[in-house]
Coordinates of all heavy atoms in Angstrom, one line a residue:
M20 N -49.1 -43.2 63.8 CA -48.2 -44.3 63.2 C -46.8 -44.2 63.8 O -46.2 -43.1 63.9 CB -48.2 -44.1 61.7 CG -47.3 -45.1 61.0 SD -48.4 -46.3 60.2 CE -47.2 -47.5 59.7
V21 N -46.3 -45.3 64.2 CA -45.0 -45.4 64.8 C -43.9 -45.5 63.7 O -44.0 -46.2 62.8 CB -44.9 -46.6 65.7 CG1 -43.5 -46.7 66.4 CG2 -46.0 -46.6 66.8
S22 N -42.8 -44.7 63.9 CA -41.8 -44.7 62.9 C -40.7 -45.8 63.3 O -40.6 -46.2 64.4 CB -41.1 -43.3 62.9 OG -40.3 -43.1 64.0
K23 N -39.9 -46.1 62.3 CA -38.8 -47.1 62.5 C -37.8 -46.5 63.5 O -37.3 -47.3 64.3 CB -38.1 -47.4 61.2 CG -38.9 -48.1 60.2 CD -38.9 -49.6 60.4 CE -39.6 -50.3 59.3 NZ -39.7 -51.7 59.6
M24 N -37.6 -45.2 63.4 CA -36.7 -44.6 64.4 C -37.2 -44.8 65.8 O -36.4 -45.1 66.7 CB -36.5 -43.1 64.0 CG -35.5 -42.4 64.8 SD -35.4 -40.7 64.1 CE -34.1 -40.1 64.9
Q25 N -38.5 -44.6 66.0 CA -39.0 -44.8 67.4 C -38.9 -46.2 67.8 O -38.6 -46.5 69.0 CB -40.5 -44.3 67.4 CG -40.7 -42.8 67.3 CD -42.1 -42.4 67.1 OE1 -42.9 -43.1 66.4 NE2 -42.6 -41.4 67.8
L26 N -39.2 -47.1 66.9 CA -39.1 -48.6 67.3 C -37.7 -48.9 67.7 O -37.5 -49.7 68.6 CB -39.5 -49.4 66.1 CG -41.0 -49.4 65.7 CD1 -41.2 -50.1 64.4 CD2 -41.8 -50.0 66.8
H27 N -36.7 -48.4 67.0 CA -35.3 -48.6 67.4 C -34.9 -48.0 68.7 O -34.3 -48.6 69.5 CB -34.3 -48.2 66.3 CG -34.4 -49.0 65.0 ND1 -33.9 -50.3 65.0 CD2 -34.8 -48.7 63.8 CE1 -34.1 -50.8 63.8 NE2 -34.6 -49.8 63.0
A28 N -35.3 -46.8 68.9 CA -35.0 -46.0 70.1 C -35.6 -46.7 71.3 O -35.0 -46.9 72.4 CB -35.5 -44.6 70.0
V29 N -36.9 -47.1 71.2 CA -37.6 -47.8 72.3 C -36.9 -49.2 72.6 O -36.7 -49.5 73.7 CB -39.1 -47.9 72.1 CG1 -39.7 -48.8 73.1 CG2 -39.7 -46.5 72.1
G30 N -36.6 -49.9 71.5 CA -36.0 -51.2 71.6 C -34.7 -51.1 72.4 O -34.4 -52.0 73.2
E31 N -33.9 -50.1 72.1 CA -32.6 -50.0 72.8 C -32.7 -49.6 74.3 O -31.9 -50.0 75.0 CB -31.8 -48.9 72.1 CG -31.3 -49.4 70.7 CD -30.5 -48.3 70.0 OE1 -30.2 -47.2 70.6 OE2 -30.1 -48.5 68.9
M32 N -33.8 -48.9 74.6 CA -34.0 -48.5 76.0 C -34.9 -49.3 76.9 O -35.0 -49.1 78.1 CB -34.4 -47.0 76.0 CG -33.4 -46.1 75.4 SD -31.7 -46.1 76.0 CE -32.0 -45.5 77.7
C33 N -35.7 -50.2 76.2 CA -36.7 -50.9 76.9 C -36.2 -52.0 77.9 O -35.4 -52.8 77.5 CB -37.6 -51.6 75.9 SG -39.0 -52.4 76.7
P34 N -36.6 -51.9 79.2 CA -36.2 -52.9 80.2 C -36.8 -54.3 79.9 O -36.2 -55.3 80.4 CB -36.7 -52.3 81.5 CG -37.9 -51.5 81.1 CD -37.6 -50.9 79.8
G35 N -37.8 -54.4 79.1 CA -38.4 -55.7 78.8 C -38.0 -56.3 77.5 O -38.4 -57.4 77.1
Y36 N -37.0 -55.6 76.8 CA -36.6 -56.1 75.4 C -35.9 -57.4 75.5 O -34.9 -57.6 76.3 CB -35.7 -55.0 74.8 CG -35.1 -55.5 73.5 CD1 -35.9 -55.4 72.3 CD2 -33.9 -56.1 73.4 CE1 -35.4 -55.8 71.1 CE2 -33.4 -56.6 72.1 CZ -34.2 -56.4 71.0 OH -33.7 -56.9 69.8
V37 N -36.3 -58.4 74.7 CA -35.6 -59.7 74.6 C -35.6 -60.0 73.1 O -36.6 -60.1 72.5 CB -36.4 -60.8 75.4 CG1 -35.7 -62.1 75.2 CG2 -36.6 -60.4 76.8
Y38 N -34.4 -60.2 72.6 CA -34.2 -60.4 71.2 C -34.9 -61.7 70.8 O -34.8 -62.7 71.4 CB -32.7 -60.5 70.8 CG -32.5 -60.7 69.3 CD1 -32.7 -59.7 68.4 CD2 -32.1 -62.0 68.9 CE1 -32.5 -59.9 67.1 CE2 -31.9 -62.2 67.5 CZ -32.1 -61.2 66.6 OH -31.9 -61.4 65.3
N39 N -35.7 -61.6 69.7 CA -36.4 -62.8 69.1 C -35.5 -63.4 68.1 O -35.3 -62.9 67.0 CB -37.7 -62.3 68.5 CG -38.5 -63.4 67.9 OD1 -38.1 -64.6 67.9 ND2 -39.7 -63.1 67.5
E40 N -35.0 -64.6 68.4 CA -34.1 -65.3 67.5 C -34.7 -65.7 66.2 O -34.0 -65.9 65.2 CB -33.5 -66.6 68.2 CG -32.7 -66.3 69.4 CD -31.3 -65.7 69.1 OE1 -30.8 -65.9 67.9 OE2 -30.8 -65.0 69.9
G41 N -36.0 -65.7 66.1 CA -36.7 -66.1 64.9 C -37.0 -64.9 63.9 O -37.6 -65.1 62.9
T42 N -36.4 -63.7 64.3 CA -36.6 -62.5 63.4 C -35.6 -62.6 62.3 O -34.4 -62.7 62.6 CB -36.4 -61.3 64.2 OG1 -37.3 -61.3 65.4 CG2 -36.8 -60.0 63.4
F43 N -36.0 -62.4 61.1 CA -35.1 -62.4 59.9 C -34.9 -61.0 59.4 O -35.7 -60.1 59.5 CB -35.7 -63.2 58.8 CG -35.9 -64.7 59.2 CD1 -37.2 -65.2 59.5 CD2 -34.8 -65.5 59.2 CE1 -37.3 -66.5 59.9 CE2 -35.0 -66.8 59.6 CZ -36.2 -67.3 59.9
G44 N -33.7 -60.8 58.8 CA -33.3 -59.5 58.2 C -33.2 -58.3 59.1 O -33.4 -57.2 58.7
V45 N -32.8 -58.6 60.3 CA -32.6 -57.5 61.2 C -31.2 -57.2 61.7 O -31.0 -56.3 62.5 CB -33.5 -57.7 62.5 CG1 -35.0 -57.6 62.1 CG2 -33.2 -58.9 63.2
S46 N -30.3 -58.0 61.2 CA -28.9 -57.7 61.6 C -28.2 -56.8 60.7 O -28.6 -56.6 59.5 CB -28.1 -59.1 61.7 OG -28.1 -59.6 60.4
S47 N -27.2 -56.1 61.2 CA -26.5 -55.2 60.4 C -25.7 -55.9 59.3 O -25.0 -56.9 59.6 CB -25.5 -54.4 61.2 OG -24.6 -53.7 60.4
M48 N -25.8 -55.5 58.1 CA -25.2 -56.2 56.9 C -23.7 -56.3 57.1 O -23.1 -57.3 56.8 CB -25.5 -55.5 55.6 CG -27.0 -55.6 55.3 SD -27.4 -57.2 54.6 CE -28.9 -56.9 53.9
E49 N -23.1 -55.2 57.6 CA -21.6 -55.1 57.7 C -21.1 -55.9 58.9 O -20.0 -56.5 58.7 CB -21.2 -53.6 57.8 CG -21.6 -52.9 56.5 CD -21.3 -51.4 56.7 OE1 -20.7 -51.0 57.7 OE2 -21.7 -50.6 55.8
T50 N -21.7 -55.9 60.0 CA -21.1 -56.5 61.2 C -21.8 -57.7 61.7 O -21.3 -58.5 62.5 CB -21.1 -55.5 62.4 OG1 -22.5 -55.2 62.7 CG2 -20.4 -54.2 62.0
G51 N -23.0 -58.0 61.2 CA -23.8 -59.1 61.6 C -24.3 -58.9 63.0 O -24.9 -59.8 63.6
E52 N -24.3 -57.7 63.5 CA -24.7 -57.3 64.8 C -26.3 -57.3 64.9 O -26.9 -56.8 63.9 CB -24.2 -55.9 65.2 CG -24.6 -55.4 66.5 CD -24.0 -54.0 66.8 OE1 -22.9 -53.8 66.3 OE2 -24.7 -53.3 67.4
K53 N -26.8 -57.8 65.9 CA -28.3 -57.7 66.1 C -28.7 -56.3 66.4 O -28.1 -55.7 67.3 CB -28.7 -58.7 67.2 CG -28.4 -60.1 66.9 CD -28.7 -61.0 68.1 CE -28.3 -62.4 67.8 NZ -28.3 -63.3 68.9
I54 N -29.8 -55.9 65.8 CA -30.2 -54.5 66.0 C -31.4 -54.5 66.9 O -32.4 -55.2 66.7 CB -30.6 -53.9 64.6 CG1 -29.4 -53.8 63.7 CG2 -31.3 -52.5 64.8 CD1 -29.7 -53.3 62.3
A55 N -31.3 -53.8 68.0 CA -32.4 -53.7 69.0 C -33.5 -52.8 68.4 O -33.3 -51.7 67.9 CB -32.0 -53.1 70.3
S56 N -34.7 -53.3 68.3 CA -35.9 -52.6 67.8 C -37.1 -53.4 68.4 O -37.0 -54.6 68.6 CB -35.9 -52.7 66.3 OG -37.2 -52.2 65.8
C57 N -38.2 -52.7 68.6 CA -39.4 -53.4 69.0 C -39.8 -54.5 68.1 O -40.2 -55.6 68.5 CB -40.6 -52.4 69.1 SG -40.4 -51.1 70.3
E58 N -39.5 -54.3 66.8 CA -39.8 -55.4 65.8 C -39.0 -56.6 65.9 O -39.4 -57.7 65.4 CB -39.6 -54.8 64.4 CG -40.5 -53.7 64.0 CD -40.2 -53.0 62.7 OE1 -39.1 -52.7 62.4 OE2 -41.2 -52.9 61.9
T59 N -37.9 -56.6 66.7 CA -37.1 -57.7 66.9 C -37.2 -58.3 68.3 O -36.4 -59.2 68.8 CB -35.6 -57.4 66.6 OG1 -35.1 -56.4 67.6 CG2 -35.4 -57.0 65.2
C60 N -38.2 -57.8 69.1 CA -38.5 -58.2 70.4 C -39.5 -59.3 70.5 O -40.5 -59.3 69.7 CB -38.9 -57.0 71.3 SG -39.2 -57.4 73.0
I61 N -39.3 -60.3 71.4 CA -40.3 -61.3 71.6 C -41.7 -60.8 72.0 O -42.7 -61.5 71.9 CB -39.8 -62.4 72.5 CG1 -39.7 -61.9 74.0 CG2 -38.6 -63.1 72.0 CD1 -39.4 -63.0 75.0
H62 N -41.7 -59.6 72.6 CA -43.0 -59.1 73.1 C -43.7 -58.2 72.1 O -44.8 -57.7 72.3 CB -42.7 -58.2 74.3 CG -42.1 -58.9 75.5 ND1 -42.7 -59.9 76.2 CD2 -40.8 -58.8 76.0 CE1 -41.9 -60.4 77.1 NE2 -40.7 -59.7 77.0
W63 N -43.2 -58.1 70.8 CA -43.9 -57.3 69.8 C -44.7 -58.3 69.0 O -44.2 -59.2 68.3 CB -42.8 -56.7 68.9 CG -43.3 -55.6 68.0 CD1 -43.5 -55.6 66.7 CD2 -43.8 -54.3 68.4 NE1 -44.0 -54.5 66.2 CE2 -44.2 -53.6 67.3 CE3 -43.9 -53.6 69.6 CZ2 -44.7 -52.3 67.3 CZ3 -44.4 -52.3 69.7 CH2 -44.8 -51.7 68.5
E64 N -46.0 -58.1 69.1 CA -47.0 -58.9 68.3 C -48.0 -58.1 67.6 O -48.6 -57.2 68.3 CB -47.7 -59.9 69.3 CG -46.8 -60.9 69.9 CD -47.6 -61.9 70.9 OE1 -48.7 -61.6 71.2 OE2 -47.0 -62.8 71.3
K65 N -48.2 -58.3 66.4 CA -49.2 -57.6 65.6 C -49.1 -56.1 65.7 O -50.1 -55.4 65.8 CB -50.6 -58.1 65.9 CG -50.8 -59.6 65.7 CD -52.2 -60.0 66.1 CE -52.3 -61.5 65.9 NZ -53.5 -62.0 66.4
G66 N -47.9 -55.6 65.7 CA -47.6 -54.2 65.8 C -47.8 -53.5 67.1 O -47.9 -52.3 67.2
K67 N -47.8 -54.3 68.2 CA -48.0 -53.8 69.5 C -47.1 -54.5 70.5 O -46.8 -55.7 70.3 CB -49.5 -54.0 70.0 CG -50.5 -53.1 69.2 CD -51.9 -53.4 69.7 CE -52.3 -52.2 70.5 NZ -53.7 -52.3 71.0
C68 N -46.8 -53.8 71.6 CA -46.1 -54.5 72.7 C -47.1 -55.2 73.6 O -48.0 -54.6 74.1 CB -45.4 -53.4 73.5 SG -44.4 -54.0 74.9
N69 N -46.9 -56.5 73.7 CA -47.8 -57.3 74.5 C -47.6 -57.2 76.0 O -48.4 -57.8 76.8 CB -47.9 -58.7 74.1 CG -46.6 -59.5 74.3 OD1 -45.8 -59.1 75.0 ND2 -46.5 -60.6 73.6
I70 N -46.6 -56.4 76.5 CA -46.4 -56.2 77.9 C -46.6 -54.7 78.2 O -46.2 -54.2 79.3 CB -45.1 -56.7 78.4 CG1 -43.9 -56.2 77.7 CG2 -45.1 -58.3 78.4 CD1 -42.6 -56.6 78.3
D71 N -47.1 -53.9 77.3 CA -47.5 -52.5 77.4 C -46.4 -51.6 77.9 O -46.5 -50.7 78.7 CB -48.7 -52.4 78.4 CG -49.9 -53.0 77.8 OD1 -50.1 -52.8 76.6 OD2 -50.7 -53.5 78.6
L72 N -45.2 -51.8 77.4 CA -44.0 -50.9 77.7 C -43.7 -49.9 76.7 O -43.1 -48.9 76.9 CB -42.8 -51.8 78.0 CG -42.7 -52.6 79.2 CD1 -41.5 -53.4 79.3 CD2 -42.8 -51.7 80.4
F73 N -44.2 -50.1 75.4 CA -43.8 -49.2 74.4 C -44.1 -47.7 74.7 O -43.2 -46.8 74.6 CB -44.5 -49.5 73.0 CG -44.1 -48.6 71.9 CD1 -43.0 -48.8 71.2 CD2 -44.9 -47.5 71.6 CE1 -42.6 -47.9 70.2 CE2 -44.6 -46.7 70.6 CZ -43.4 -46.9 69.9
D74 N -45.4 -47.4 75.0 CA -45.7 -46.0 75.3 C -45.0 -45.4 76.5 O -44.5 -44.2 76.4 CB -47.2 -45.9 75.6 CG -48.1 -46.1 74.3 OD1 -47.6 -45.8 73.2 OD2 -49.2 -46.6 74.4
K75 N -44.8 -46.2 77.5 CA -44.0 -45.7 78.7 C -42.6 -45.4 78.3 O -42.1 -44.3 78.7 CB -44.1 -46.7 79.8 CG -43.3 -46.2 81.1 CD -43.3 -47.3 82.1 CE -42.5 -46.9 83.4 NZ -41.6 -45.8 83.4
V76 N -41.9 -46.3 77.6 CA -40.5 -46.1 77.3 C -40.4 -44.9 76.3 O -39.5 -44.0 76.4 CB -39.9 -47.3 76.7 CG1 -38.5 -47.1 76.1 CG2 -39.9 -48.5 77.7
L77 N -41.3 -44.8 75.3 CA -41.3 -43.7 74.4 C -41.5 -42.3 75.1 O -40.8 -41.4 74.8 CB -42.4 -43.9 73.3 CG -42.4 -42.8 72.2 CD1 -41.1 -42.8 71.4 CD2 -43.6 -43.1 71.3
T78 N -42.4 -42.3 76.1 CA -42.6 -41.1 76.8 C -41.4 -40.7 77.6 O -41.0 -39.5 77.7 CB -43.8 -41.2 77.8 OG1 -45.0 -41.5 77.0 CG2 -44.1 -40.0 78.6
D79 N -40.8 -41.7 78.2 CA -39.5 -41.5 79.0 C -38.4 -40.9 78.1 O -37.6 -40.1 78.5 CB -39.1 -42.7 79.7 CG -40.0 -43.1 80.9 OD1 -40.8 -42.3 81.3 OD2 -39.8 -44.3 81.4
L80 N -38.3 -41.4 76.9 CA -37.3 -40.9 75.9 C -37.6 -39.5 75.6 O -36.6 -38.7 75.5 CB -37.4 -41.7 74.6 CG -36.8 -43.1 74.7 CD1 -37.1 -43.8 73.4 CD2 -35.3 -43.1 75.0
D81 N -38.8 -39.1 75.5 CA -39.2 -37.7 75.2 C -38.9 -36.7 76.3 O -38.7 -35.5 76.1 CB -40.7 -37.6 74.8 CG -41.0 -38.2 73.4 OD1 -40.1 -38.4 72.6 OD2 -42.2 -38.5 73.2
Q82 N -38.8 -37.3 77.5 CA -38.5 -36.4 78.7 C -37.1 -36.2 78.9 O -36.7 -35.3 79.7 CB -39.1 -37.1 79.9 CG -40.6 -37.5 79.8 CD -41.5 -36.6 80.5 OE1 -41.1 -36.0 81.4 NE2 -42.7 -36.5 80.0
T83 N -36.2 -36.9 78.2 CA -34.7 -36.7 78.5 C -34.1 -35.8 77.5 O -34.6 -35.4 76.5 CB -34.0 -38.1 78.4 OG1 -34.2 -38.7 77.1 CG2 -34.5 -39.0 79.5

């Protein structure tokens, strides 16, 4: 199971990340800033990355 922390870390480092304007409740309450996370990406569908970057980016994060 993927953790919220992993989703945020991958979202911040993913070269394919594109913010989904239709995502609700994902901005920081204090600043209104959009939070990068796989869950806020247009490529995240049904709990998976539809361009198969999640595992690669997560592996690359583990290597640094």
Side-chain angles (χ1 to χ4, degrees):
M20 176 107 187
V21 179
S22 73
K23 292 277 186 187
M24 188 176 186
Q25 289 172 317
L26 292 170
H27 288 291
V29 171
E31 288 180 5
M32 300 305 295
C33 184
Y36 177 82
V37 178
Y38 181 74
N39 182 353
E40 294 291 333
T42 309
F43 297 103
V45 295
S46 63
S47 169
M48 295 282 195
E49 295 175 8
T50 64
E52 181 179 327
K53 295 174 184 168
I54 298 172
S56 169
C57 295
E58 295 176 310
T59 63
C60 180
I61 63 169
H62 300 293
W63 194 251
E64 294 181 351
K65 299 178 184 176
K67 294 179 103 177
C68 178
N69 66 16
I70 57 173
D71 294 324
L72 286 176
F73 180 83
D74 290 331
K75 179 183 181 341
V76 174
L77 184 62
T78 300
D79 288 348
L80 287 174
D81 288 341
Q82 307 256 336
T83 59

